[in-house]
Coordinates of all heavy atoms in Angstrom, one line a residue:
L247 N 30.4 95.3 77.3 CA 29.5 94.1 77.5 C 29.0 93.6 76.1 O 28.1 92.7 76.1 CB 28.4 94.4 78.4 CG 28.8 94.8 79.8 CD1 27.6 95.2 80.6 CD2 29.6 93.7 80.5
L248 N 29.5 94.1 75.0 CA 29.0 93.7 73.7 C 30.1 92.8 73.0 O 31.3 92.9 73.3 CB 28.8 94.9 72.8 CG 27.7 95.9 73.3 CD1 27.6 97.1 72.4 CD2 26.3 95.2 73.4
V249 N 29.6 91.9 72.2 CA 30.5 91.0 71.5 C 30.1 91.0 70.0 O 29.0 91.4 69.6 CB 30.4 89.6 72.0 CG1 30.8 89.5 73.5 CG2 29.0 89.0 71.9
A250 N 31.1 90.6 69.2 CA 30.9 90.4 67.8 C 30.3 89.1 67.6 O 30.9 88.0 67.9 CB 32.2 90.6 67.0
S251 N 29.1 89.0 67.1 CA 28.4 87.8 66.9 C 28.3 87.4 65.4 O 28.0 88.3 64.6 CB 27.0 87.9 67.4 OG 26.2 86.7 67.3
D252 N 28.7 86.2 65.1 CA 28.6 85.7 63.7 C 27.2 85.3 63.3 O 26.6 84.6 64.1 CB 29.6 84.6 63.4 CG 31.0 84.9 63.7 OD1 31.4 85.9 63.1 OD2 31.7 84.3 64.4
I253 N 26.7 85.7 62.1 CA 25.4 85.3 61.7 C 25.5 83.8 61.2 O 24.8 83.0 61.7 CB 24.9 86.2 60.6 CG1 24.8 87.6 61.1 CG2 23.6 85.7 60.0 CD1 24.5 88.7 60.0
K254 N 26.4 83.6 60.3 CA 26.7 82.2 59.8 C 27.8 81.7 60.7 O 28.8 82.4 60.9 CB 27.1 82.2 58.4 CG 25.9 82.5 57.4 CD 26.4 82.6 56.0 CE 26.9 81.4 55.4 NZ 27.2 81.6 53.9
P255 N 27.7 80.5 61.3 CA 28.7 80.1 62.3 C 30.2 80.1 61.8 O 30.4 79.6 60.7 CB 28.3 78.6 62.6 CG 26.8 78.6 62.3 CD 26.6 79.6 61.1
W256 N 31.0 80.6 62.6 CA 32.5 80.7 62.3 C 33.1 79.4 61.9 O 33.8 79.3 60.9 CB 33.1 81.3 63.6 CG 34.6 81.4 63.6 CD1 35.5 80.4 63.8 CD2 35.4 82.5 63.3 NE1 36.8 80.8 63.8 CE2 36.7 82.2 63.5 CE3 35.1 83.8 63.0 CZ2 37.8 83.1 63.3 CZ3 36.1 84.7 62.8 CH2 37.4 84.4 63.0
R257 N 32.8 78.4 62.6 CA 33.4 77.0 62.4 C 33.0 76.5 61.0 O 33.8 75.8 60.4 CB 32.9 76.1 63.5 CG 33.5 74.7 63.4 CD 33.0 73.8 64.6 NE 33.1 74.5 65.8 CZ 32.2 74.5 66.8 NH1 31.1 73.8 66.7 NH2 32.4 75.2 67.9
E258 N 31.7 76.7 60.6 CA 31.2 76.1 59.4 C 31.5 76.9 58.1 O 31.4 76.3 57.0 CB 29.7 75.8 59.6 CG 29.4 74.9 60.7 CD 27.9 74.8 60.9 OE1 27.1 74.9 60.0 OE2 27.5 74.7 62.1
F259 N 31.8 78.1 58.3 CA 31.9 79.0 57.1 C 33.2 79.8 57.2 O 33.1 81.1 57.4 CB 30.7 79.9 57.0 CG 29.4 79.2 56.7 CD1 28.6 78.8 57.8 CD2 29.0 78.8 55.5 CE1 27.4 78.1 57.6 CE2 27.9 78.1 55.2 CZ 27.1 77.8 56.3
P260 N 34.3 79.2 57.0 CA 35.6 79.9 57.1 C 35.8 81.1 56.1 O 36.5 82.1 56.5 CB 36.7 78.8 56.9 CG 36.0 77.7 56.3 CD 34.5 77.8 56.7
N261 N 35.2 81.0 55.0 CA 35.3 82.1 54.0 C 34.5 83.3 54.4 O 34.8 84.4 53.8 CB 34.8 81.6 52.6 CG 35.8 80.5 52.0 OD1 36.9 80.5 52.4 ND2 35.2 79.7 51.2
D262 N 33.6 83.2 55.3 CA 32.9 84.4 55.8 C 33.3 84.9 57.1 O 32.7 85.9 57.6 CB 31.4 84.0 55.8 CG 30.8 83.7 54.5 OD1 31.1 84.4 53.5 OD2 30.1 82.7 54.4
R263 N 34.3 84.4 57.7 CA 34.8 84.7 59.0 C 35.1 86.2 59.2 O 34.8 86.8 60.2 CB 36.0 83.9 59.5 CG 35.7 82.5 59.8 CD 36.9 81.7 60.2 NE 36.5 80.3 60.4 CZ 37.4 79.4 60.7 NH1 38.7 79.6 60.7 NH2 36.9 78.2 60.9
L264 N 35.8 86.8 58.2 CA 36.2 88.2 58.3 C 35.3 89.1 57.5 O 35.6 90.3 57.5 CB 37.6 88.3 57.8 CG 38.7 87.5 58.6 CD1 40.0 87.7 58.0 CD2 38.7 87.9 60.0
N265 N 34.2 88.6 57.0 CA 33.2 89.5 56.3 C 32.4 90.3 57.3 O 31.7 89.7 58.1 CB 32.3 88.6 55.5 CG 31.4 89.4 54.6 OD1 31.1 90.5 54.8 ND2 30.8 88.7 53.6
P266 N 32.5 91.6 57.3 CA 31.8 92.4 58.2 C 30.3 92.3 58.1 O 29.6 92.6 59.0 CB 32.3 93.9 58.0 CG 32.9 93.8 56.6 CD 33.4 92.4 56.4
Q267 N 29.8 91.8 56.9 CA 28.4 91.6 56.7 C 27.9 90.3 57.4 O 26.7 90.1 57.4 CB 28.0 91.6 55.3 CG 28.2 93.0 54.6 CD 27.7 93.0 53.2 OE1 28.3 92.3 52.4 NE2 26.7 93.7 52.9
N268 N 28.8 89.6 57.9 CA 28.4 88.3 58.7 C 28.4 88.6 60.2 O 28.5 87.7 61.0 CB 29.4 87.2 58.3 CG 28.9 85.9 58.9 OD1 27.7 85.6 58.9 ND2 29.9 85.1 59.5
G269 N 28.4 89.8 60.6 CA 28.5 90.1 62.0 C 27.4 91.0 62.5 O 26.8 91.8 61.8
L270 N 27.1 90.8 63.8 CA 26.2 91.6 64.5 C 26.9 92.0 65.9 O 27.7 91.2 66.4 CB 24.9 90.9 64.9 CG 24.0 90.4 63.7 CD1 22.9 89.5 64.2 CD2 23.4 91.6 63.0
C271 N 26.6 93.2 66.4 CA 27.1 93.6 67.7 C 25.9 93.3 68.7 O 24.9 94.0 68.6 CB 27.5 95.0 67.7 SG 28.2 95.6 69.2
L272 N 26.1 92.3 69.6 CA 25.1 91.9 70.5 C 25.7 91.8 71.9 O 26.8 91.7 72.1 CB 24.5 90.5 70.1 CG 23.9 90.4 68.7 CD1 23.5 88.9 68.5 CD2 22.7 91.3 68.6
S273 N 24.8 91.9 72.9 CA 25.2 91.6 74.3 C 25.5 90.1 74.4 O 25.1 89.3 73.5 CB 24.1 91.9 75.3 OG 23.0 91.0 75.1
N274 N 26.2 89.7 75.4 CA 26.5 88.3 75.6 C 25.2 87.4 75.6 O 25.1 86.3 75.1 CB 27.3 88.0 76.8 CG 28.8 88.3 76.7 OD1 29.3 88.1 75.6 ND2 29.4 88.9 77.7
L275 N 24.2 87.9 76.3 CA 22.9 87.2 76.4 C 22.3 87.0 75.1 O 21.8 85.9 74.7 CB 22.0 87.9 77.4 CG 20.6 87.3 77.5 CD1 20.7 85.9 78.2 CD2 19.7 88.2 78.3
H276 N 22.2 88.1 74.3 CA 21.5 88.0 73.0 C 22.4 87.2 72.0 O 21.8 86.6 71.1 CB 21.2 89.4 72.5 CG 20.2 90.1 73.4 ND1 20.5 91.1 74.2 CD2 18.9 89.8 73.6 CE1 19.4 91.5 74.9 NE2 18.4 90.7 74.5
D277 N 23.7 87.3 72.1 CA 24.5 86.5 71.3 C 24.3 85.0 71.5 O 24.1 84.2 70.6 CB 26.0 86.8 71.6 CG 27.0 85.9 70.8 OD1 26.9 85.8 69.6 OD2 27.8 85.3 71.5
A278 N 24.2 84.6 72.8 CA 23.9 83.2 73.1 C 22.6 82.8 72.6 O 22.4 81.7 72.0 CB 24.0 83.0 74.6
A279 N 21.6 83.6 72.7 CA 20.2 83.3 72.2 C 20.2 83.2 70.7 O 19.6 82.3 70.1 CB 19.2 84.4 72.7
F280 N 20.9 84.1 70.0 CA 21.0 84.1 68.6 C 21.7 82.8 68.1 O 21.3 82.1 67.2 CB 21.8 85.3 68.1 CG 21.8 85.6 66.6 CD1 20.7 86.1 66.0 CD2 22.8 85.2 65.8 CE1 20.6 86.3 64.6 CE2 22.8 85.4 64.5 CZ 21.7 86.0 63.8
D281 N 22.9 82.5 68.7 CA 23.6 81.3 68.3 C 22.8 80.0 68.6 O 23.0 79.0 67.9 CB 24.9 81.2 69.1 CG 26.0 82.2 68.6 OD1 25.8 82.8 67.5 OD2 27.0 82.3 69.3
S282 N 21.9 80.0 69.6 CA 21.1 78.9 69.9 C 19.8 78.8 69.1 O 19.0 77.9 69.3 CB 20.8 78.9 71.4 OG 21.9 78.8 72.2
G283 N 19.6 79.8 68.3 CA 18.4 79.9 67.5 C 17.1 80.3 68.2 O 16.0 80.1 67.8
L284 N 17.3 80.9 69.4 CA 16.1 81.3 70.2 C 15.6 82.7 69.7 O 14.5 83.0 70.0 CB 16.5 81.4 71.7 CG 16.9 80.1 72.3 CD1 17.3 80.3 73.7 CD2 15.7 79.1 72.2
I285 N 16.5 83.5 69.0 CA 16.1 84.7 68.4 C 16.7 84.8 67.0 O 17.7 84.1 66.7 CB 16.4 86.0 69.2 CG1 18.0 86.1 69.3 CG2 15.8 86.0 70.6 CD1 18.4 87.4 69.9
T286 N 16.1 85.6 66.1 CA 16.6 85.8 64.8 C 16.2 87.2 64.4 O 15.5 87.9 65.1 CB 16.2 84.7 63.8 OG1 17.0 84.8 62.6 CG2 14.7 84.8 63.4
L287 N 16.5 87.6 63.2 CA 16.1 88.8 62.6 C 15.3 88.5 61.3 O 15.7 87.7 60.5 CB 17.3 89.7 62.2 CG 18.2 90.1 63.4 CD1 19.4 90.9 62.9 CD2 17.4 90.9 64.4
D288 N 14.2 89.2 61.1 CA 13.5 89.0 59.9 C 14.1 89.9 58.7 O 15.1 90.5 58.9 CB 12.0 89.3 60.1 CG 11.6 90.8 60.3 OD1 12.5 91.7 60.1 OD2 10.5 91.0 60.7
E289 N 13.4 89.9 57.6 CA 13.9 90.6 56.4 C 14.0 92.1 56.6 O 14.7 92.8 55.9 CB 13.0 90.3 55.2 CG 12.9 88.9 54.8 CD 11.9 88.0 55.5 OE1 11.3 88.5 56.5 OE2 11.8 86.8 55.2
E290 N 13.3 92.6 57.6 CA 13.4 94.1 57.9 C 14.3 94.3 59.1 O 14.2 95.4 59.7 CB 12.0 94.6 58.1 CG 11.0 94.4 57.0 CD 11.4 95.1 55.7 OE1 11.9 96.3 55.9 OE2 11.3 94.6 54.6
Y291 N 15.1 93.4 59.5 CA 16.0 93.5 60.6 C 15.3 93.6 61.9 O 15.9 94.2 62.9 CB 17.0 94.6 60.4 CG 17.8 94.5 59.1 CD1 17.5 95.3 58.0 CD2 18.9 93.6 59.0 CE1 18.3 95.2 56.9 CE2 19.6 93.5 57.8 CZ 19.3 94.3 56.8 OH 20.0 94.1 55.6
R292 N 14.1 93.1 62.0 CA 13.3 93.1 63.3 C 13.6 91.9 64.1 O 13.7 90.8 63.5 CB 11.9 93.3 63.0 CG 11.5 94.6 62.4 CD 10.0 94.7 62.1 NE 9.7 93.6 61.1 CZ 8.9 93.7 60.1 NH1 8.3 94.9 59.9 NH2 8.6 92.7 59.3
V293 N 13.6 92.0 65.4 CA 13.9 90.9 66.3 C 12.7 90.0 66.3 O 11.5 90.4 66.5 CB 14.2 91.4 67.7 CG1 14.4 90.2 68.7 CG2 15.4 92.3 67.7
V294 N 12.9 88.7 66.2 CA 11.9 87.6 66.2 C 12.3 86.7 67.3 O 13.4 86.2 67.4 CB 11.8 86.9 64.9 CG1 10.7 85.8 64.9 CG2 11.5 87.8 63.7
L295 N 11.3 86.4 68.2 CA 11.5 85.4 69.3 C 10.9 84.1 68.9 O 9.9 84.0 68.3 CB 10.8 85.9 70.6 CG 11.1 87.3 71.1 CD1 10.3 87.6 72.4 CD2 12.5 87.6 71.3
S296 N 11.7 83.0 69.2 CA 11.2 81.7 68.9 C 10.1 81.2 69.8 O 10.0 81.7 71.0 CB 12.4 80.7 68.9 OG 12.7 80.4 70.3
A297 N 9.3 80.3 69.4 CA 8.3 79.7 70.2 C 8.9 79.0 71.4 O 8.4 79.0 72.5 CB 7.4 78.7 69.4
R298 N 10.1 78.4 71.2 CA 10.8 77.8 72.2 C 11.2 78.7 73.4 O 11.0 78.4 74.5 CB 12.1 77.1 71.7 CG 12.8 76.3 72.7 CD 13.9 75.5 72.1 NE 14.7 74.9 73.2 CZ 16.0 74.5 73.0 NH1 16.6 74.8 71.9 NH2 16.6 74.0 74.0
L299 N 11.7 79.9 73.0 CA 12.0 80.9 74.0 C 10.7 81.3 74.7 O 10.7 81.4 76.0 CB 12.7 82.1 73.4 CG 13.0 83.3 74.3 CD1 14.0 82.8 75.4 CD2 13.6 84.5 73.5
K300 N 9.7 81.6 74.0 CA 8.4 82.0 74.6 C 7.8 81.0 75.5 O 7.1 81.3 76.4 CB 7.4 82.4 73.5 CG 7.8 83.6 72.7 CD 6.8 83.9 71.6 CE 7.1 85.0 70.7 NZ 6.2 85.1 69.6
S301 N 8.2 79.7 75.3 CA 7.6 78.6 76.1 C 8.1 78.7 77.6 O 7.5 78.1 78.5 CB 7.9 77.3 75.5 OG 9.3 76.9 75.7
Y302 N 9.2 79.5 77.8 CA 9.7 79.7 79.1 C 9.1 80.8 79.9 O 9.4 81.1 81.0 CB 11.3 79.9 79.1 CG 12.0 78.6 78.7 CD1 12.5 78.5 77.4 CD2 12.2 77.6 79.5 CE1 13.2 77.4 77.0 CE2 12.8 76.4 79.2 CZ 13.4 76.3 77.9 OH 14.0 75.2 77.5
F303 N 8.2 81.6 79.2 CA 7.5 82.7 79.8 C 6.3 82.1 80.6 O 5.8 81.1 80.2 CB 6.9 83.6 78.8 CG 8.0 84.4 77.9 CD1 7.6 85.1 76.8 CD2 9.3 84.3 78.2 CE1 8.5 85.7 76.0 CE2 10.3 84.9 77.5 CZ 9.9 85.6 76.3
P304 N 5.8 82.6 81.7 CA 6.4 83.8 82.3 C 7.7 83.5 83.1 O 7.7 82.6 83.9 CB 5.3 84.3 83.2 CG 4.5 83.1 83.6 CD 4.7 82.2 82.4
Q305 N 8.7 84.2 82.9 CA 9.9 84.2 83.6 C 10.5 85.6 83.5 O 10.9 86.0 82.4 CB 10.8 83.1 83.0 CG 11.8 82.5 83.9 CD 13.1 83.3 84.2 OE1 13.3 84.3 83.6 NE2 13.9 82.8 85.1
S306 N 10.5 86.3 84.6 CA 10.7 87.7 84.5 C 12.0 88.1 83.9 O 12.1 89.1 83.1 CB 10.6 88.4 85.9 OG 11.6 87.9 86.8
A307 N 13.1 87.4 84.2 CA 14.4 87.7 83.6 C 14.4 87.6 82.1 O 14.9 88.5 81.3 CB 15.5 86.9 84.2
L308 N 13.8 86.5 81.6 CA 13.7 86.4 80.1 C 12.8 87.4 79.5 O 13.1 88.0 78.5 CB 13.2 85.0 79.8 CG 14.2 83.8 80.0 CD1 13.5 82.5 79.7 CD2 15.4 84.0 79.2
E309 N 11.7 87.6 80.1 CA 10.7 88.6 79.5 C 11.3 90.0 79.5 O 11.2 90.7 78.5 CB 9.4 88.6 80.3 CG 8.6 87.3 80.1 CD 7.3 87.3 80.9 OE1 6.4 87.8 80.3 OE2 7.3 86.7 82.0
Q310 N 12.1 90.4 80.6 CA 12.7 91.7 80.6 C 13.7 91.9 79.6 O 14.0 93.0 79.1 CB 13.3 92.0 82.0 CG 12.2 92.1 83.1 CD 12.8 92.2 84.5 OE1 14.1 92.2 84.6 NE2 12.0 92.2 85.5
N311 N 14.4 90.8 79.2 CA 15.6 90.9 78.3 C 15.2 90.6 76.9 O 16.1 90.9 76.0 CB 16.7 90.0 78.8 CG 17.4 90.6 80.0 OD1 18.1 91.5 79.9 ND2 17.2 89.9 81.1
F312 N 14.0 90.1 76.6 CA 13.7 89.8 75.2 C 12.4 90.5 74.7 O 12.4 91.0 73.6 CB 13.6 88.3 75.0 CG 15.0 87.6 75.1 CD1 15.3 87.0 76.3 CD2 15.8 87.6 74.0 CE1 16.6 86.4 76.4 CE2 17.1 87.0 74.1 CZ 17.5 86.4 75.3
V313 N 11.4 90.4 75.5 CA 10.1 90.9 75.0 C 10.1 92.4 74.6 O 9.5 92.8 73.6 CB 9.0 90.7 76.1 CG1 7.7 91.4 75.7 CG2 8.7 89.2 76.3
P314 N 10.8 93.3 75.3 CA 10.9 94.7 74.8 C 11.5 94.9 73.4 O 11.2 95.9 72.8 CB 11.8 95.4 75.9 CG 11.6 94.5 77.1 CD 11.5 93.1 76.6
F315 N 12.2 93.9 72.9 CA 12.9 94.0 71.6 C 12.1 93.3 70.5 O 12.4 93.5 69.3 CB 14.3 93.5 71.7 CG 15.1 94.2 72.7 CD1 15.5 93.5 73.9 CD2 15.6 95.5 72.6 CE1 16.2 94.1 74.9 CE2 16.3 96.1 73.5 CZ 16.7 95.4 74.7
S316 N 11.1 92.5 70.9 CA 10.4 91.7 69.9 C 9.7 92.6 68.9 O 9.0 93.5 69.3 CB 9.4 90.8 70.6 OG 8.7 90.0 69.7
G317 N 9.9 92.3 67.6 CA 9.3 93.1 66.6 C 10.0 94.4 66.3 O 9.6 95.1 65.3
L318 N 11.0 94.8 67.0 CA 11.6 96.1 66.8 C 12.9 95.9 65.9 O 13.5 94.8 66.0 CB 12.1 96.7 68.1 CG 11.0 97.2 69.0 CD1 11.6 97.8 70.3 CD2 10.1 98.2 68.4
P319 N 13.2 96.8 65.0 CA 14.4 96.7 64.2 C 15.6 97.0 65.0 O 15.6 97.8 66.0 CB 14.2 97.7 63.1 CG 13.3 98.8 63.7 CD 12.4 98.0 64.7
I320 N 16.7 96.3 64.6 CA 18.0 96.6 65.3 C 18.5 97.9 64.7 O 18.1 98.4 63.6 CB 19.0 95.5 65.0 CG1 19.3 95.3 63.6 CG2 18.6 94.2 65.7 CD1 20.5 94.4 63.3
R321 N 19.5 98.5 65.4 CA 20.1 99.7 64.8 C 21.3 99.2 63.9 O 22.1 98.4 64.4 CB 20.7 100.6 66.0 CG 21.2 101.8 65.5 CD 21.6 102.9 66.5 NE 21.9 102.3 67.8 CZ 22.2 103.0 68.8 NH1 22.3 104.3 68.8 NH2 22.4 102.4 70.0
L322 N 21.3 99.6 62.7 CA 22.3 99.2 61.8 C 23.5 100.1 61.9 O 23.4 101.2 62.3 CB 21.7 99.3 60.3 CG 20.5 98.3 60.1 CD1 19.9 98.6 58.7 CD2 21.0 96.9 60.2
P323 N 24.7 99.5 61.5 CA 25.9 100.3 61.7 C 26.0 101.5 60.7 O 25.4 101.4 59.6 CB 27.0 99.2 61.3 CG 26.3 98.2 60.5 CD 24.9 98.2 61.0
D324 N 26.7 102.5 61.1 CA 26.8 103.7 60.3 C 28.0 103.6 59.4 O 28.0 104.0 58.2 CB 27.1 104.9 61.2 CG 25.8 105.3 62.0 OD1 24.7 105.0 61.6 OD2 26.0 105.9 63.1
K325 N 29.1 102.9 59.8 CA 30.3 102.9 59.0 C 30.5 101.7 58.2 O 31.1 101.7 57.1 CB 31.5 103.1 60.0 CG 31.5 104.4 60.7 CD 32.8 104.6 61.5 CE 32.7 105.9 62.2 NZ 33.9 106.2 63.0
L326 N 30.1 100.5 58.7 CA 30.2 99.3 57.9 C 28.9 98.9 57.2 O 27.9 99.4 57.5 CB 30.7 98.2 58.8 CG 32.1 98.4 59.5 CD1 32.3 97.2 60.5 CD2 33.2 98.4 58.5
A327 N 29.0 98.0 56.3 CA 27.9 97.5 55.6 C 26.9 96.8 56.6 O 27.3 96.1 57.6 CB 28.3 96.5 54.5
E328 N 25.6 96.9 56.3 CA 24.6 96.2 57.1 C 24.7 94.7 56.9 O 25.3 94.2 55.9 CB 23.2 96.7 56.8 CG 22.8 96.6 55.4 CD 21.5 97.4 55.2 OE1 21.4 98.5 55.7 OE2 20.7 96.9 54.4
P329 N 24.2 93.9 57.9 CA 24.2 92.5 57.7 C 23.6 92.0 56.4 O 22.6 92.5 55.9 CB 23.4 92.0 58.9 CG 23.4 93.1 59.9 CD 23.5 94.4 59.1
Q330 N 24.3 91.0 55.8 CA 23.9 90.5 54.5 C 22.6 89.7 54.6 O 22.5 88.8 55.5 CB 25.0 89.7 53.9 CG 24.8 89.4 52.4 CD 26.0 88.7 51.8 OE1 26.0 87.5 51.7 NE2 27.0 89.5 51.5
A331 N 21.7 90.1 53.8 CA 20.3 89.4 53.8 C 20.4 87.9 53.6 O 19.7 87.2 54.3 CB 19.5 90.0 52.7
E332 N 21.3 87.4 52.8 CA 21.4 86.0 52.6 C 21.9 85.3 53.8 O 21.6 84.1 54.1 CB 22.2 85.6 51.3 CG 23.7 85.6 51.5 CD 24.4 85.1 50.3 OE1 24.1 85.6 49.2 OE2 25.3 84.3 50.5
F333 N 22.8 85.9 54.6 CA 23.3 85.4 55.8 C 22.2 85.3 56.8 O 22.1 84.3 57.5 CB 24.5 86.2 56.4 CG 25.7 86.2 55.5 CD1 26.8 87.0 55.8 CD2 25.9 85.3 54.5 CE1 27.9 87.0 55.1 CE2 27.0 85.3 53.7 CZ 28.1 86.2 54.0
L334 N 21.4 86.3 56.9 CA 20.2 86.3 57.9 C 19.2 85.2 57.4 O 18.6 84.6 58.3 CB 19.6 87.7 58.0 CG 20.5 88.7 58.8 CD1 19.9 90.1 58.6 CD2 20.7 88.3 60.2
A335 N 19.0 85.1 56.1 CA 18.1 84.1 55.6 C 18.6 82.7 56.0 O 17.8 81.8 56.5 CB 17.9 84.2 54.1
Y336 N 19.9 82.5 55.9 CA 20.5 81.2 56.3 C 20.2 81.0 57.8 O 19.8 79.9 58.2 CB 22.0 81.2 56.1 CG 22.7 80.0 56.7 CD1 22.7 78.8 56.0 CD2 23.2 80.0 58.0 CE1 23.2 77.6 56.6 CE2 23.7 78.9 58.6 CZ 23.8 77.7 57.9 OH 24.3 76.6 58.5
H337 N 20.4 82.0 58.7 CA 20.2 81.9 60.1 C 18.7 81.5 60.4 O 18.5 80.6 61.2 CB 20.6 83.2 60.8 CG 20.5 83.0 62.3 ND1 19.3 83.3 63.0 CD2 21.4 82.6 63.2 CE1 19.5 83.1 64.3 NE2 20.7 82.7 64.4
R338 N 17.8 82.2 59.7 CA 16.4 81.9 59.9 C 16.0 80.4 59.5 O 15.2 79.8 60.2 CB 15.5 82.8 59.1 CG 15.4 84.2 59.7 CD 14.4 85.1 59.0 NE 14.6 85.3 57.6 CZ 15.3 86.2 57.1 NH1 15.9 87.1 57.9 NH2 15.4 86.3 55.8
E339 N 16.6 80.0 58.4 CA 16.3 78.6 57.9 C 17.0 77.5 58.6 O 16.5 76.4 58.8 CB 16.6 78.6 56.4 CG 15.6 79.5 55.6 CD 16.1 79.8 54.2 OE1 17.0 79.0 53.7 OE2 15.6 80.7 53.6
A340 N 18.3 77.7 59.0 CA 19.1 76.6 59.5 C 19.4 76.6 61.0 O 19.7 75.6 61.5 CB 20.5 76.6 58.7
I341 N 19.2 77.8 61.6 CA 19.6 77.9 63.0 C 18.3 78.2 63.9 O 18.2 77.6 65.0 CB 20.7 78.9 63.3 CG1 22.0 78.4 62.5 CG2 21.0 79.1 64.7 CD1 23.1 79.4 62.5
F342 N 17.5 79.1 63.5 CA 16.4 79.5 64.3 C 15.4 78.4 64.5 O 15.1 77.6 63.6 CB 15.6 80.7 63.5 CG 14.5 81.3 64.3 CD1 14.7 81.9 65.5 CD2 13.2 81.2 63.7 CE1 13.6 82.5 66.2 CE2 12.1 81.8 64.4 CZ 12.3 82.4 65.6
V343 N 15.0 78.2 65.7 CA 14.1 77.1 66.1 C 12.6 77.4 66.0 O 11.8 76.5 66.4 CB 14.5 76.5 67.5 CG1 15.8 75.9 67.4 CG2 14.4 77.5 68.5
G344 N 12.3 78.5 65.4 CA 10.9 78.8 65.2 C 10.0 78.9 66.3 O 9.9 78.9 67.4

């Protein structure tokens, strides 16, 4: 149930498509939220929820799937390089809806 999620969009950044540092392993739900800018990761790889996502609370399905992760760091890969900081900065600045 996990997918490879691109930090910088595949379509817009062909040179980064195969870069393992441009990827995250996310559930389909979290991948869609990340791609839509509803969630992002801060400089310490902690999950950040957007105000737009929070505006849909209270809604039990959303709260159950997002609130428990808010502020917590993701688990970084053991074998591959961790997500590139500049890619995550791009996501926060250009995609995340704050």
Side-chain angles (χ1 to χ4, degrees):
L247 299 175
L248 300 176
V249 297
S251 180
D252 296 308
I253 299 169
K254 290 171 67 178
W256 175 277
R257 181 179 315 138
E258 297 171 35
F259 297 93
N261 293 335
D262 295 316
R263 288 179 180 172
L264 299 179
N265 183 341
Q267 291 184 297
N268 188 40
L270 297 170
C271 183
L272 300 173
S273 71
N274 281 321
L275 176 66
H276 295 107
D277 174 55
F280 189 81
D281 286 349
S282 299
L284 297 175
I285 63 172
T286 195
L287 299 175
D288 69 11
E289 295 84 357
E290 303 295 321
Y291 303 105
R292 294 177 300 223
V293 177
V294 179
L295 307 183
S296 73
R298 183 173 175 207
L299 178 63
K300 292 177 187 177
S301 74
Y302 292 103
F303 297 168
Q305 208 278 355
S306 63
L308 289 177
E309 290 181 86
Q310 290 172 6
N311 286 289
F312 291 99
V313 172
F315 303 107
S316 182
L318 296 179
I320 62 169
R321 186 169 26 178
L322 296 171
D324 293 330
K325 295 183 180 182
L326 296 175
E328 58 191 38
Q330 195 170 97
E332 80 174 50
F333 294 170
L334 290 169
Y336 171 85
H337 186 270
R338 286 190 301 273
E339 295 165 14
I341 299 172
F342 185 61
V343 294

